[in-house]
Amino acid sequence: MNNFIWYNPTKLYFGKGQIKKLNYELKNYQKVLLVYGGGSIKKISLYEDVIEILKDNEKSFFELSGVEPNPKIKTVRKGIEIVKTQKIDLILAIGGGSTIDTAKAIAVGSVSQNDILDLLKNKYIQKEGIAIGTVLTLSATGSEMNPRCVISDDEAKLKLGLGIWEVPATYPKFSICDPTYTLTVPKNQTINGVVDIISHTLEQYFNRNENNIIGERFAETLIKTMIDIGPKLINDLQNYQLRETMMICGTLAWNGLLRGLNNNGDWASHQIEHALSAVYDIAHGEGLAIVIPAWMEYCAEKDPSKFVVFAKNIFNIKLENKTDQEIAFEGIKAFKMFLKKIGAPQSMKDYKIKNVNIDALVEKTMLGRKTIGQYILLDANDVKKILNIIF
Ligand code: NZQ
Ligand code: ZN
């Protein structure tokens, strides 16, 4: 195994009715900035419940609404302005990954000497920030228990990220994860969530670590659980038990433990996908469903070894009388069939995009790096070939 640090300061309140713990958590703060998206939290009366708790606890509060999916830097700037002028001491994000990520960027952007864009470009590291709390309404990103955030620079059409795993600034201090709030997530967003959770696990599963039995089995458990419950949930969106299982899988998939065990992992598919959603504003989960199979096919040609383990342990592919390549590609085929079964998109061709600039996408993927990935190191030329598969 590799040496690793596993640090995670987020207190997780998991389960039905945990919103009442907000009463306790609020005691350390006076002025709250509520951050939320386009209005889904008002349809499930979560908004009213939070406002009532804030009023009961005599907290003054301000609001930043309208956070976009693939959140934009201009929204982060609006939040920074409110935090600075109103002297906010808690940013409370209520929503999915986009809302939580926005809160994180506001948290560090409001106290930094440097511009938020420079922080997102990782020119400077901001080690302190305003406290963040979250109430999760969509299971997917794991943002509720990790330090990462992804924000779109709309002008440059780039998706940029910040947050360091050993630094507390962008970890939520607490996250309230009640699966009840996810019962209203529509089918397409649920599919995206299933894909994102599996993809985070896969990214870490494909690594070059040795003697990594626990990291491998833990990842397989998460992937198999999601492959089991995903199709059931898509046909039964109001099922609390399935929502509950999905929620804990989402948090565990990307909260640092798997990352530590798996020596960080590969993440090339995410880097390619971030370029796609930066340029075409497609949902993160949709982009991943298209990129990952192409990444798999490309990389299995170069080295099928881990794909053989994947095929055998996830999809029970029989190994007798087959080459490694054959086994690997049977596993990838089974994974593609799973994605099809849940209704995930399969090709960028479905988006009917004209005048695709592959070279620009390659540049936005590489972001100045010579190579990306870990299981297979990919250079710009490799990324170009993968992009050519999906368009
Ligand atoms: O804006 P509202 O009205 O709230 O609607 C949202 C939004 O339209 C809706 N929604 C959320 N909860 C709902 C609901 N609709 C009905 N009922 C509910 N309970 O769902 C839509 C999508 O929300 P969004 O927050 O964008 O989805 P997600 O959680 O998938 O977040 C995606 C963003 O996270 C980034 C992605 O790049 C993307 O920008 N990522 C963040 C990561 C992290 N912080 O660690 C890692 C990921 O790999 C990812 O890159
Ligand atoms: Zn993701």
Side-chain angles (χ1 to χ4, degrees):
M1 288 177 73
N2 58 294
N3 292 358
F4 66 89
I5 301 171
W6 180 30
Y7 170 78
N8 197 309
T10 302
K11 188 197 276 184
L12 202 74
Y13 291 104
F14 190 90
K16 234 175 228 178
Q18 291 285 37
I19 194 71
K20 61 179 181 287
K21 298 291 183 354
L22 190 55
N23 288 293
Y24 170 77
E25 288 296 338
L26 284 174
K27 72 180 182 346
N28 299 320
Y29 311 103
Q30 287 314 315
K31 281 189 158 186
V32 180
L33 174 64
L34 287 184
V35 180
Y36 55 94
S40 69
I41 65 160
K42 293 192 172 166
K43 292 190 192 136
I44 53 176
S45 83
L46 173 56
Y47 175 78
E48 288 157 38
D49 293 348
V50 170
I51 299 288
E52 196 179 311
I53 293 172
L54 288 167
K55 286 183 176 164
D56 285 352
N57 288 276
E58 298 177 349
K59 304 295 171 191
S60 46
F61 60 90
F62 302 82
E63 299 188 28
L64 175 68
S65 61
V67 172
E68 318 80 352
N70 296 328
K72 311 273 180 284
I73 199 158
K74 65 172 193 295
T75 311
V76 174
R77 289 194 193 283
K78 276 190 208 162
I80 291 174
E81 186 61 30
I82 304 174
V83 169
K84 282 183 172 171
T85 50
Q86 303 301 337
K87 306 215 172 345
I88 298 291
D89 60 358
L90 175 70
I91 304 172
L92 186 59
I94 313 176
S98 296
T99 299
I100 299 174
D101 287 6
T102 300
K104 291 175 179 180
I106 296 169
V108 284
S110 336
V111 295
S112 176
Q113 306 291 319
N114 301 299
D115 187 70
I116 182 63
L117 188 55
D118 287 334
L119 297 182
L120 285 163
K121 286 181 175 166
N122 295 300
K123 283 191 191 163
Y124 306 98
I125 290 166
Q126 176 58 38
K127 292 197 170 170
E128 281 91 39
I130 305 289
I132 305 155
T134 88
V135 183
L136 184 66
T137 67
L138 192 160
S139 310
T141 62
S143 191
E144 66 278 7
M145 202 180 184
N146 75 40
R148 298 293 300 160
C149 80
V150 185
I151 303 292
S152 294
D153 175 355
D154 217 18
E155 279 171 26
K157 295 262 179 263
L158 289 175
K159 252 184 144 177
L160 302 167
L162 64 76
I164 297 180
W165 288 87
E166 293 79 25
V167 174
T170 47
Y171 280 92
K173 296 265 186 257
F174 64 90
S175 280
I176 295 171
C177 298
D178 180 343
T180 315
Y181 300 138
T182 66
L183 292 172
T184 50
V185 176
K187 192 171 180 173
N188 65 330
Q189 295 296 349
T190 307
I191 297 168
N192 292 341
V194 170
V195 173
D196 200 22
I197 294 169
I198 293 175
S199 78
H200 292 164
T201 318
L202 283 172
E203 295 277 23
Q204 295 163 104
Y205 187 67
F206 284 92
N207 62 69
R208 289 286 174 189
N209 208 352
E210 283 176 5
N211 190 30
N212 182 28
I213 301 167
I214 286 295
E216 202 166 277
R217 294 296 90 75
F218 182 20
E220 286 164 356
T221 300
L222 289 177
I223 297 167
K224 284 200 278 192
T225 304
M226 289 307 300
I227 284 180
D228 175 29
I229 68 157
K232 293 177 189 160
L233 182 55
I234 303 307
N235 292 310
D236 188 7
L237 293 169
Q238 301 277 320
N239 186 313
Y240 181 84
Q241 273 83 15
L242 297 173
R243 290 285 186 192
E244 179 178 62
T245 306
M246 178 167 173
M247 190 173 247
I248 195 61
C249 285
T251 305
L252 292 174
W254 191 216
N255 75 347
L257 177 56
L258 263 184
R259 176 178 180 272
L261 293 170
N262 289 296
N263 195 20
N264 190 24
D266 190 272
W267 296 102
S269 299
H270 263 70
Q271 279 142 8
I272 298 171
E273 194 295 316
H274 282 162
L276 287 183
S277 49
V279 176
Y280 301 116
D281 209 8
I282 61 170
H284 177 58
E286 291 179 19
L288 288 169
I290 294 166
V291 172
I292 291 174
W295 174 87
M296 285 181 157
E297 287 174 351
Y298 189 77
C299 293
E301 289 281 1
K302 292 189 179 290
D303 179 0
S305 56
K306 190 68 183 244
F307 291 95
V308 171
V309 183
F310 172 73
K312 175 171 149 276
N313 291 354
I314 304 289
F315 291 107
N316 298 317
I317 304 291
K318 300 279 172 283
L319 308 184
E320 295 84 28
N321 306 319
K322 292 175 193 160
T323 65
D324 280 1
Q325 289 284 345
E326 284 167 344
I327 299 162
F329 276 85
E330 274 191 46
I332 296 168
K333 189 173 167 203
F335 183 58
K336 285 167 84 169
M337 276 167 65
F338 163 78
L339 291 172
K340 194 172 176 189
K341 184 169 159 189
I342 61 169
Q346 293 173 292
S347 165
M348 285 305 291
K349 291 188 182 73
D350 300 344
Y351 294 82
K352 301 196 170 29
I353 297 166
K354 291 197 181 102
N355 305 323
V356 178
N357 186 342
I358 298 277
D359 289 330
L361 287 169
V362 172
E363 210 180 308
K364 288 167 197 291
T365 300
M366 302 308 288
L367 293 175
R369 294 167 289 216
K370 283 210 162 26
T371 58
I372 58 169
Q374 182 187 115
Y375 178 70
I376 302 286
L377 286 180
L378 302 175
D379 63 18
N381 200 32
D382 296 309
V383 170
K384 189 170 183 171
K385 287 180 185 161
I386 292 174
L387 284 164
N388 275 322
I389 298 174
I390 65 173
F391 276 98

